[in-house]
Amino acid sequence: MASPGYCLDFEKPLVELERQIEEIKKFAAEKNIDMSEEIRRLQEKADQIKQEIYSNLTTWQRIQIARHPKRPTLLDYVGMIFTDFTELHGDRLFRDDPAMVGGLAYLDGRPVTVIGQQKGRDTKENLQRNFGMPHPEGYRKALRLMEQAAKFGRPIISLVDVVGAYPGIEAEERGQGEAVARGIREMAALGTPIVVVITGEGGSGGALAIGVGDRILMLENAYYSVISPEGCASILWKDASRAPEAAEALRLTGKDLMEFGIVDEVIREPMGGAHKDPKAMAETLKEALIRNLLPLLDQDKEALLTARYDKFRKMGAFIEG
Amino acid sequence: MLKDLFKTKPKYITVRPPQELGTRQEPAEKRDIPDGLWVKCDRCNQIVYHKELSKNLNVCPKCDYHFRIGAKERIDSLLDEGSFHEINSGLTSTNPLNFPEYESKTKKSQKATGLTEGVITGTGTIEGQPLVCAVIDFGFMGGSMGSVVGEKITRAIEYATEKGLPFVCISSGGGGARMHEGILSLMQMAKTCMALNRLAAAGGLYISVLTDPTMGGIYASFASQGDIILAEPGALIGFAGPRVIQQTIRQTLPPGFQTSEFVLEHGMIDQIVHRKNLRATLGFFLKFHAREDKGGQAIG
C-alpha cells in the first residue's frame, strides 16, 4: 500500500480505488452485511490497475520511485540483510560525515565491510544527514574503511544511493573533486572483492566514487546517470520541468545500463517499488549479494584486479577510423 | 600608419569571465582567440593588438589575463618544434544514446576547432625530454569527456606505461563528463583513473596541468591525480559548477572562489605557473624525473 499522505501522481487511481475498498469493508463490517462479492470485484479491478501501472513504468516514474521518501535506505537494508552491524566513524582527517555510513557486519555469516550513502527518513534526519549528499570527508571515510577491508581480506559491499556529491563552498575547499577521484582510483586497486549495488539514485561522480567494483548491480527502479534529468533538461532546453524527457534521453535505467555493458544484473523489486515491501526487497537483495559475491571469493588477487581493470577498460563507444 | 588603423572597423570579441562558466553545460562553442585585429581583454577591458597578444602566448600584456587557447596552439607553444607525433587521431564519436542534437554538436565543434574530437594525444619532447601528452581543447564541446576523450587519454597513459615515458596532461574542460553520452561518459572517469594506477605502479611520472576551466568529471578523475599538479593563473578549477553551488546554498560565492589561487591555498595543487614559464617548468620536472634507461630515446 502507498503510505498515507504520500503517493506518486501516477499511482492516484490505484490509491483511490484501494481507499474505496477499505471503506466498503469497514461499512460491511459495521452494518454486518455481506459485501464480499462487491469487494472481490473491486479488488480484482485494483489488481488489474496495479498491473497496468507498474508493469509499464516510464523512466520518469521509475525515478520518482527511486526518490520515494519511503524508499529503504542503507541502514534499513543493513538491518534486514546483515547481522551484528557495527558502525565505524570518521575519516581521521576532518570529521565524521553522517551522509556516508560504513562499518563491519556479517553477510550470511561472513565478515564484510559495508559502506553507502545514508539519506534521512524524515526532514529532521535529512537535515542531519545532508540529504545523503556526502562532503569530501564522507568519501575519505568510505575509502579508509575500504582500505581496512582490503587489509584484512574482507569483501566490500557498497550500496549507492545519492543524488550527487554535495555542491557547496566547504566541499570545494576540502577538495570534493580530489576525494571523488581518489575514491575511484583506490577502489580500482583494492585487492579484495567488491560488490556494488545502485539501490536508488546513482548520481554521477558522487555515486561512482564508491561505485567501482567487480560486480555492479542495480535495483529495478534505480537509476544511474552522468547528470540529473533536471540538470540535463535545463542545459538542453533551458527548462528543468522537461526533466521527464531528459530522463528518457539519458538512458539511465537498469535495463539501459545492462545494454551498455555497465551493469551486470538488475534486481527485481516488489511490485510498485522497494518501499511497498522492504522485507521482500531485502531478501531478494541479500540473495543477489551472496550469489554475486561467492564466485569472487575464489579468485586470487591478481586475477580479480585484472578482471576489474578489463571490465571498466572496455566501457565506451567510438569508431576507430 | 595611424590612419590605416581606423580604416577598418575594429573587431572585438567578448570573453566571458570564468565565473560564468564551469558548470556542467558546455559554454558557447566559439574560439576564444579571434581572427580580428583587435581584442578586448575581458578582465581589464583594454584593447590589445591581436598580433601582440599572439606573441605574448595569448596572455594579456596589460593585466596578465590568460586567454583560453586551443590544443594545437598549446602543443605548438609547449613542445620542441617538430617533435610532436600524434597518436590515435582516428577515433571519433558515435551517438550511443541517440541523444538529441549530439551529432550536430560534434560537427559544429569539429568545424570550429579543426579537430576530430576534444583531445589531442601524442608523443614529443619538451626541452629535449621525451613525453606522452594529452591536450584537451575547450573549444570542442566545452572540453567535455565522452568515450573518445576517455579512450584516447587512457591509451596515452597506457602507451606511457608501456614505453616508460612520463605522461603530461593539459586539462581544460568546463563540461566535465559529456552528458550526451550519458553513463558511458561517467565511466571514462574510472577508465582513465585505472590506467593511472598502472602508470604509477610502473613508476611513471604524471604531471597534470590545469587550465581554464577544469571542472566536474575531468577534475574529479585524472586531472586531480597528478604526481605534480600545476595550474595557469586565474583558471576556474573545481568539482561542482559555481552556478550549481549558488543555487544549492543560496549565498553569494566568495570572490576568487574555485580559482587556481583558491585551490593552491587549499592544498589541491603544487604550483601556479604563468604561461610564459610553463614550458621551462615542465622541462625542469621532466628532466628531474628522467629515467636513465629511457631518457632521450627516439620516439616514433
Side-chain angles (χ1 to χ4, degrees), chain A residues 113 145-156 189-192:
Chain A
T113 288
L145 297 178
M146 290 192 282
E147 282 171 341
Q148 187 189 74
K151 176 183 172 184
F152 295 107
R154 285 193 290 271
I156 296 162
L190 290 173
T192 196

Side-chain angles (χ1 to χ4, degrees), chain B residues 6 79 84 95 98 118 121 154 160 164 181 212:
Chain B
F6 297 101
L79 269 65
F84 183 69
N95 187 358
N98 209 4
T121 54
T154 303
E181 288 184 33
D212 186 55

Side-chain angles (χ1 to χ4, degrees), chain B residues 74 78 134-136 168-172 207 209-211 278 282:
Chain B
R74 177 71 69 178
L78 280 183
V135 184
I136 300 175
V168 175
C169 183
I170 319 278
S171 293
S172 159
I207 303 176
V209 182
L210 315 180
T211 72
L278 191 54
L282 287 173

Side-chain angles (χ1 to χ4, degrees), chain B residues 45-61:
Chain B
N45 283 325
Q46 302 246 33
I47 311 293
V48 187
Y49 190 37
H50 184 210
K51 273 192 184 152
E52 194 188 350
L53 187 64
S54 296
K55 227 170 71 189
N56 206 36
L57 300 168
N58 291 307
V59 175
C60 174

Side-chain angles (χ1 to χ4, degrees), chain B residues 3 6 16 21 23 30 43 55 91-92 114 118 164 188-189 194 199 232 237 255 265 290 296:
Chain B
K3 261 193 220 160
F6 297 101
R16 290 191 292 160
L21 304 170
T23 44
K30 60 177 176 206
R43 184 192 283 161
K55 227 170 71 189
L91 268 61
T92 49
Q188 305 310 309
M189 294 168 66
M194 292 171 100
L199 177 68
E232 285 195 336
I237 297 166
E265 189 191 328

Side-chain angles (χ1 to χ4, degrees), chain B residues 20-215:
Chain B
E20 276 180 43
L21 304 170
T23 44
R24 248 180 194 293
Q25 60 267 56
E26 63 277 1
E29 284 161 37
K30 60 177 176 206
R31 302 306 291 164
D32 292 293
I33 301 303
D35 300 323
L37 268 178
W38 298 93
V39 179
K40 185 178 173 187
C41 173
D42 203 75
R43 184 192 283 161
C44 68
N45 283 325
Q46 302 246 33
I47 311 293
V48 187
Y49 190 37
H50 184 210
K51 273 192 184 152
E52 194 188 350
L53 187 64
S54 296
K55 227 170 71 189
N56 206 36
L57 300 168
N58 291 307
V59 175
C60 174
K62 309 259 163 59
C63 75
D64 251 3
Y65 176 75
H66 283 52
F67 284 77
R68 292 183 184 137
I69 60 171
K72 285 177 179 166
E73 289 142 294
R74 177 71 69 178
I75 289 166
D76 287 345
S77 73
L78 280 183
L79 269 65
D80 297 338
E81 214 182 322
S83 73
F84 183 69
H85 174 79
E86 190 172 356
I87 54 174
N88 296 313
S89 59
L91 268 61
T92 49
S93 297
T94 62
N95 187 358
L97 273 59
N98 209 4
F99 199 89
E101 295 161 45
Y102 185 33
E103 279 109 339
S104 64
K105 285 242 163 78
T106 46
K107 279 210 181 85
K108 215 169 126 194
S109 283
Q110 283 170 343
K111 226 175 147 187
T113 58
L115 306 176
T116 47
E117 250 293 339
V119 68
I120 302 181
T121 54
T123 59
T125 58
I126 292 177
E127 298 194 333
Q129 300 297 323
L131 74 150
V132 177
C133 67
V135 184
I136 300 175
D137 195 305
F138 180 79
F140 201 104
M141 295 191 76
S144 59
M145 174 164 63
S147 296
V148 173
V149 171
E151 180 70 19
K152 283 175 81 169
I153 289 174
T154 303
R155 288 190 191 182
I157 299 167
E158 286 175 338
Y159 188 76
T161 309
E162 187 192 320
K163 300 287 179 190
L165 290 168
F167 175 62
V168 175
C169 183
I170 319 278
S171 293
S172 159
R178 189 181 294 171
M179 74 177 180
H180 310 73
E181 288 184 33
I183 195 75
L184 296 173
S185 295
L186 189 72
M187 292 305 145
Q188 305 310 309
M189 294 168 66
K191 201 162 100 177
T192 51
C193 279
M194 292 171 100
L196 285 178
N197 280 341
R198 290 198 170 174
L199 177 68
L205 170 69
Y206 167 34
I207 303 176
S208 175
V209 182
L210 315 180
T211 72
D212 186 55
T214 300
M215 300 295 291

Side-chain angles (χ1 to χ4, degrees), chain A residues 220-295:
Chain A
E220 192 183 353
N221 294 310
Y223 78 93
Y224 195 5
S225 179
V226 68
I227 186 170
S228 71
E230 289 85 352
C232 179
S234 49
I235 294 169
L236 264 190
W237 303 299
K238 315 265 174 268
D239 183 2
S241 69
R242 288 174 72 181
E245 267 171 89
E248 296 287 346
L250 283 164
R251 307 276 311 270
L252 41 68
T253 65
K255 188 171 162 283
D256 296 318
L257 269 70
M258 283 282 285
E259 280 171 30
F260 291 131
I262 308 294
V263 160
D264 300 298
E265 183 179 329
V266 175
I267 302 164
R268 282 290 297 268
E269 291 188 24
M271 189 174 285
H275 61 286
K276 300 274 182 182
D277 192 348
K279 257 199 188 133
M281 183 72 255
E283 253 170 60
T284 316
L285 179 53
K286 184 179 180 178
E287 182 277 325
L289 283 174
I290 295 166
R291 179 165 42 76
N292 279 279
L293 181 60
L294 282 179

Side-chain angles (χ1 to χ4, degrees), chain A residues 67-87:
Chain A
R67 291 171 173 173
H68 199 288
K70 296 287 171 197
R71 191 159 176 92
T73 65
L74 174 86
L75 286 172
D76 297 322
Y77 286 125
V78 161
M80 294 184 283
I81 294 173
F82 304 89
T83 50
D84 288 345
F85 176 72
T86 305
E87 190 172 353

